[in-house]
Amino acid sequence: VTNSRRILLLDCDMFFVQVARLSDPGGAGRASLLIVGGSGEGRGVVTSADYEVRKFGVRSGMPTARALRLCPDATVVGVPRKACVERSRRIRELLRTLVPVVQAASIDEFYLDLTGTDRLFRDESPEETAHRIRERILAETEISVSIGGGPNRLVAKLAVERAKPGGVHIVPAGAEGDFLREFDLARIPGVGPRFLESLERRGLRTVDDALRVEREWLVRWFGEARGTWLHERIRGIDPTPVVPDEERKSISSERTFSTDLTDPREMERHLLQLSLSVGRTLREKGLRGRTISVKVRDMDFNTRQSSRTVAQGVESDRFLFETARDLVAELRRAHPEPVRLLGVGISNLEEGDAPRQLELFGEEGPLESERDRALSRVKDRVRERFGSDLLVPGRALESGDDDDTPSPEGKP
DNA sequence: TCTGGGGTCCTAGGACCC
DNA sequence: TCTGGGGTCCTAGGACCC
């Protein structure tokens, strides 16, 4: 097959567990039965667990309380988020020096396209290349990874599960069809609980089951898009390219409370915190956004979202917060129940130095004042230098001296 | 034993414009 | 006087992934 691609998927072995141990050698580093996740005052879940803990049936996404019932001797530590982001960045940058096309698919997974690199790697086999990359990553970032390979992303993704932990598994071009037949449909990325349920209703559980169904019937049962998609995947076909890292499309922050909120003022306090966190990240990346969204999860786990798009990109904490507060107020008018979770997000992002659309200001003028933007940036610098404790939530939007912009409602 | 937090992508309907 | 179809943007909801 002359024009087949050579794709690798590099996947860090229990990434959060490894990073937790590296960041805390005396604590997490000493626990062989380690769970990384939220204790969450009863509402936390497992983010990742050591293989020894998984033997007890612990899985990521499982409530931590349940995980501890399954494995009572396990140690639970929180997710070292900053250390994980930093370690992930180091891996990505190292990979970029080794391979022409790198796509970070998540914090701990990287697709590599080696197509056309034969000369670069002097006719090294994909196995040799993968082992070499694995050793480099381990030596320079202290992270153990596994690597799967094949003619496309789907096959590489399934292959990496065979490689774990700490190995390499390459499926040769032409063998992908037979390789796929070893799997249940549930293992195909993109087949989630819902799709699986409708597959099972048709009596389809394994790839082999589905291979016996003509495309026409798959389309009739699951729709044109899904049917065609499945018909390809079960044959090991996946045309999606490895695309070098794209820009971020949204930024959000949300929080589940240990007990449901009923006091509107308390909700507002949390909304402010969430808005500040989103705003900080936004400005850190030098971005502005046009669509602000909020998320409210009620006591009964019913989740609602609402968003508003404005004519110009915004970046100030004040605008984010005031919009979020309005949107949440609207949602809560319809359903004034105790609130389990609140979230704030921004999308429709643009570069922060993009020219503002002056002609769109209309009669209302700019959406946020230069003063609000400047104030947000000043706070970023204070936070950077002294930590966030200095900024008291109640005064987080105020500069202290007289302000030429309207105060938020309810404030003097 | 109730279900985190960060994302991406898709769909469908309505508004609006040409 | 009645009527088309395509494109784009926005919103809400949902599936899915790590």
Side-chain angles (χ1 to χ4, degrees), chain A residues 79-95:
Chain A
V79 180
R81 284 210 57 219
K82 278 182 80 173
C84 289
V85 168
E86 171 59 17
R87 208 57 79 145
S88 174
R89 190 186 57 75
R90 279 172 57 191
I91 294 171
R92 177 164 26 94
E93 277 168 16
L94 176 56
L95 285 171

Side-chain angles (χ1 to χ4, degrees), chain A residues 5-237:
Chain A
R5 295 177 294 155
R6 296 166 64 198
I7 309 298
L8 298 182
L9 173 60
L10 182 148
D11 189 323
C12 302
D13 302 320
M14 44 178 200
F15 182 60
F16 296 93
V17 169
Q18 281 199 77
V19 176
R21 286 184 170 143
L22 290 167
S23 322
D24 180 16
R30 284 227 267 264
S32 60
L33 295 174
L34 185 63
I35 292 173
V36 178
S39 65
E41 293 104 22
R43 285 182 167 177
V45 301
V46 175
T47 297
S48 182
D50 188 275
Y51 292 109
E52 288 303 307
V53 178
R54 295 184 200 188
K55 287 181 184 165
F56 291 81
V58 172
R59 296 288 175 270
S60 57
M62 175 183 283
T64 307
R66 183 181 169 207
L68 281 172
R69 252 171 263 128
L70 291 169
C71 183
D73 294 333
T75 302
V76 181
V77 298
V79 180
R81 284 210 57 219
K82 278 182 80 173
C84 289
V85 168
E86 171 59 17
R87 208 57 79 145
S88 174
R89 190 186 57 75
R90 279 172 57 191
I91 294 171
R92 177 164 26 94
E93 277 168 16
L94 176 56
L95 285 171
R96 289 218 183 102
T97 69
L98 302 175
V99 181
V101 183
V102 178
Q103 178 179 9
S106 73
I107 197 167
D108 67 344
E109 288 178 313
F110 305 86
Y111 282 99
L112 317 176
D113 191 340
L114 303 181
T115 312
T117 58
D118 304 7
R119 264 203 299 176
L120 185 62
F121 296 145
R122 296 198 196 79
D123 299 316
E124 201 178 44
S125 73
E127 279 85 358
E128 288 167 327
T129 306
H131 278 293
R132 194 166 49 77
I133 292 173
R134 210 192 96 72
E135 294 309 317
R136 271 299 285 284
I137 302 266
L138 186 59
E140 293 190 27
T141 71
E142 303 172 276
I143 297 291
S144 162
V145 305
S146 301
I147 298 181
N152 58 52
R153 296 168 54 129
L154 168 69
V155 174
K157 173 89 179 158
L158 291 173
V160 80
E161 297 308 316
R162 298 286 167 89
K164 282 182 177 242
V168 168
H169 186 96
I170 310 284
V171 177
E176 61 269 23
D178 286 336
F179 179 64
L180 256 290
R181 297 181 62 175
E182 300 166 21
F183 293 92
D184 285 347
L185 292 168
R187 305 295 303 285
I188 296 179
V191 176
R194 286 308 174 87
F195 193 20
L196 196 62
E197 202 189 349
S198 62
L199 287 164
E200 278 170 351
R201 251 183 278 123
R202 303 290 183 175
L204 308 179
R205 193 182 58 80
T206 66
V207 166
D208 243 4
D209 294 338
L211 281 170
R212 285 194 279 269
V213 182
E214 283 171 41
R215 165 207 277 266
E216 188 194 344
W217 282 98
L218 295 178
V219 166
R220 200 171 299 184
W221 288 342
F222 309 117
E224 182 67 45
R226 299 248 80 182
T228 307
W229 181 90
L230 185 65
H231 189 263
E232 284 184 352
R233 297 307 126 117
I234 57 182
R235 287 166 177 75
I237 300 168

Side-chain angles (χ1 to χ4, degrees), chain A residues 270-339:
Chain A
H270 287 289
L271 270 184
L272 178 57
Q273 288 301 320
L274 294 164
S275 304
L276 294 176
S277 151
V278 169
R280 189 187 323 163
T281 309
L282 189 66
R283 294 184 297 272
E284 229 170 66
K285 313 251 172 220
L287 297 169
R288 292 196 281 246
R290 287 204 305 119
T291 304
I292 292 146
S293 48
V294 298
K295 177 158 146 186
V296 175
R297 174 125 71 213
D298 295 330
M299 186 176 63
D300 61 3
F301 218 73
N302 184 25
T303 308
R304 299 165 289 143
Q305 277 175 289
S306 177
S307 66
R308 180 184 299 168
T309 300
V310 294
Q312 315 138 34
V314 295
E315 64 176 48
S316 73
D317 292 333
R318 179 192 291 269
F319 195 87
L320 280 176
F321 167 64
E322 290 180 3
T323 308
R325 190 190 49 188
D326 290 354
L327 290 169
V328 166
E330 280 171 40
L331 284 178
R332 294 234 340 123
R333 259 197 294 281
H335 263 276
E337 290 173 56
V339 167

